Amino acid sequence: MPYEPLRILLEDNHLLAVAKPAGPPTQGAAAGVISVLDMAKAYVAKKYDKPGKVYLGVVSRLDAPVTGLLIFARTSKAAGRLSEAFRARQVDKVYLATVKGTPPPCPGSLVHHMVKDERTRRMVATHADTPGAQRAELSYEVLLSQKGHSLLAVRLMTGRKHQIRVQLAKIGCPILGDSKYGTTQPYEPGIALHSWRLGIEHPVRREPLELECPPPPRWGNWAPGDLAKALAGL
């Protein structure tokens, strides 16, 4: 499936931040399926006329149907430092999500334990003492509610697979378009989950780095004016 050229959000000698479209996986695609990593390497190879292999380190991932900010390392040194920052939770990650219903105000943080159900190939919320269960924590703020749906700003404290999708579905507010985790209302393209902001220390310059990937107009089925107003104060 063809995709539009990647939109570049930041590029220097150490980092490449891109706006991921809905559809392609971050990496590890099946034969014949292009990944965002493939697209990013092709961009670097063409821009810098690199005839050989292009190095890009994957330091974080987004699910295939999710859009927004994705960062790669252009050197092994940067990759090691960024990976450690993600492991040590030294990264501020904020997502936008359009969900069914209106969740209650988040009292501090939302905590579940998650494990993979091998039978259904889905992540599920479970008990803390379930073998293999991992603690998942996030917080959210309700920015807008209209016509049976709400716009949330979600801040991740941990980085579990499908974490936002599972935790919001668990409280009865599945993400628009996410049929895997309980919604029946379609959304194109992908699901209404968007990687919006990322705050991290630059791996080489050691200075604060704030990145943002604004959602496209009418993202999440919100009117452009309503969406802009809801995000203006954040």
Side-chain angles (χ1 to χ4, degrees):
M1 175 180 177
Y3 298 103
E4 294 181 2
L6 282 180
R7 181 159 56 95
I8 307 302
L9 303 173
L10 172 75
E11 181 180 358
D12 63 19
N13 291 335
H14 313 284
L15 303 175
L16 180 68
V18 305
K20 179 190 176 298
T26 299
Q27 69 171 149
V33 177
I34 192 169
S35 69
V36 182
L37 179 60
D38 295 329
M39 298 163 71
K41 285 184 174 182
Y43 162 80
V44 172
K46 181 177 180 180
K47 181 173 180 179
Y48 298 100
D49 193 23
K50 289 181 174 289
K53 290 186 177 180
V54 172
Y55 174 83
L56 284 179
V58 178
V59 296
S60 65
R61 294 167 178 79
L62 295 177
D63 299 339
V66 177
T67 59
L69 198 157
L70 187 60
I71 191 168
F72 297 101
R74 294 192 59 196
T75 65
S76 58
K77 181 179 185 179
R81 290 179 176 177
L82 287 172
S83 295
E84 178 55 33
F86 277 95
R87 279 193 298 268
R89 303 182 190 177
Q90 297 169 343
V91 181
D92 185 29
K93 295 180 284 185
V94 184
Y95 290 71
L96 299 176
T98 297
V99 302
K100 179 182 177 181
T102 303
C106 188
S109 62
L110 189 64
V111 178
H112 294 97
H113 288 79
M114 293 173 49
V115 69
K116 185 175 182 180
D117 183 334
E118 295 293 348
R119 182 179 60 84
T120 62
R121 301 183 65 83
R122 296 165 67 244
M123 301 299 294
V124 296
T126 186
H127 301 291
D129 57 357
T130 300
Q134 293 182 305
R135 189 176 187 275
E137 182 179 3
L138 59 76
S139 65
Y140 63 80
E141 179 182 355
V142 180
L143 305 179
L144 179 64
S145 290
Q146 289 180 359
K147 299 179 180 178
H149 288 87
S150 297
L151 172 66
L152 309 183
V154 181
R155 177 169 270 108
L156 279 180
M157 286 77 162
T158 55
R160 309 306 181 197
K161 183 177 181 179
H162 297 183
Q163 177 181 338
I164 298 175
R165 301 164 67 181
V166 171
Q167 288 195 267
L168 293 181
K170 184 65 176 178
I171 62 170
C173 297
I175 293 171
L176 180 64
D178 196 1
S179 58
K180 191 178 186 76
Y181 291 106
T183 191
T184 57
Q185 186 173 351
Y187 174 76
E188 293 295 337
I191 63 176
L193 181 60
H194 180 81
S195 175
W196 181 37
R197 287 179 173 173
L198 180 71
I200 195 168
E201 183 182 78
H202 192 283
V204 177
R205 297 199 298 267
R206 296 301 197 184
E207 60 190 29
L209 184 63
E210 300 289 337
L211 299 172
E212 182 174 310
C213 181
R218 296 197 176 277
W219 174 88
N221 290 349
W222 300 103
D226 291 337
L227 182 60
K229 185 177 180 180
L231 302 181
L234 298 178

